[in-house]
Amino acid sequence: MGTVTLGVSIAVPEPYGSLLQERRAGFGDPAAHGIPTHVTLLPPTEVHAEALPAIEAHLAEVAAAGRPFPMRLFGTGTFRPLSPVVFVQVVEGAAACSWLQKRVRDTSGPLVRELQFPYHPHVTVAHGIAEEAMDRAYEELSEYEAAWTCASFALYEQGADGVWRKLHEYAFGGGVTAVPAQGSPVDEPATTL
């Protein structure tokens, strides 16, 4: 059956997701329209296609153990000079993202993977483009802010065309996957995941 390239992430909901994707494209990042705006839980990982049912079952278990949590983005950061990335910072929800990514990559599951760098939840807005454009992204989004209640994460597959497509969405606690309206109350803080 061959291999597929998978990723697991938390989608940045509308209207924020499209806005940041358009800004990324505007900075000259050619990958912008092929990558939905997201916070990574599992970076691109090549797996055998026949492992997909076990991966989906594993992710359903991870989601069932999770609970909705508040996410808030604010301001920019960069991994330069180590990595050519400018990002919008996750200022609330980072602990929950860290908890989730550890369980996604758990040694007892089918997605065991070492990370190239320590895990740092973020939303990439420029990657591998000219330094001037990276500087512009860093400055122009320095006051950017978005907030929502995160109620799910999703499994994506990268196509031969380089575009990432959602295969399945996993709701926390077995609930619905719709993103609640802004300002909805949250029953549990992020650190309880």
Side-chain angles (χ1 to χ4, degrees):
M1 284 186 79
T3 62
V4 293
T5 301
L6 302 177
V8 178
S9 63
I10 294 170
V12 174
E14 295 306 327
Y16 314 118
S18 291
L19 182 138
L20 288 175
Q21 191 174 42
E22 289 303 318
R23 293 302 305 269
R24 185 172 178 172
F27 297 131
D29 191 329
H33 290 294
I35 305 172
T37 307
H38 68 281
V39 175
T40 299
L41 298 177
L42 177 76
T45 302
E46 192 171 302
V47 300
H48 292 287
E50 59 268 14
L52 204 50
I55 289 168
E56 290 176 338
H58 169 67
L59 294 176
E61 288 178 18
V62 171
R67 297 291 175 264
F69 60 92
M71 285 281 285
R72 189 164 70 88
L73 309 178
F74 181 76
T76 51
T78 184
F79 294 132
R80 296 183 292 174
L82 192 59
S83 181
V85 172
V86 171
F87 57 86
V88 173
Q89 299 184 73
V90 175
V91 295
E92 186 175 6
C97 291
S98 183
W99 183 91
L100 285 167
Q101 68 88 25
K102 284 179 188 172
R103 273 130 195 98
V104 167
R105 297 184 305 104
D106 191 85
T107 56
S108 66
L111 292 171
V112 177
R113 158 154 196 190
E114 290 296 320
L115 298 179
Q116 184 179 1
F117 300 106
Y119 182 73
H120 180 89
H122 64 280
V123 177
T124 298
V125 291
H127 181 223
I129 58 177
E131 286 297 319
E132 299 78 23
M134 302 272 272
D135 292 342
R136 196 162 59 91
Y138 187 86
E139 290 300 321
E140 289 182 15
L141 293 172
S142 65
E143 297 295 316
Y144 182 80
E145 185 169 15
W148 70 94
T149 299
C150 178
S152 64
F153 62 83
L155 173 65
Y156 291 82
E157 180 179 350
Q158 186 178 37
D161 57 0
V163 174
W164 288 90
R165 293 174 180 86
K166 183 166 54 174
L167 296 180
H168 191 82
E169 191 162 359
Y170 300 89
F172 296 133
V176 297
T177 58
V179 176
Q182 298 300 302
S184 294
V186 176
D187 294 329
E188 297 184 39
T191 55
T192 61
L193 284 177

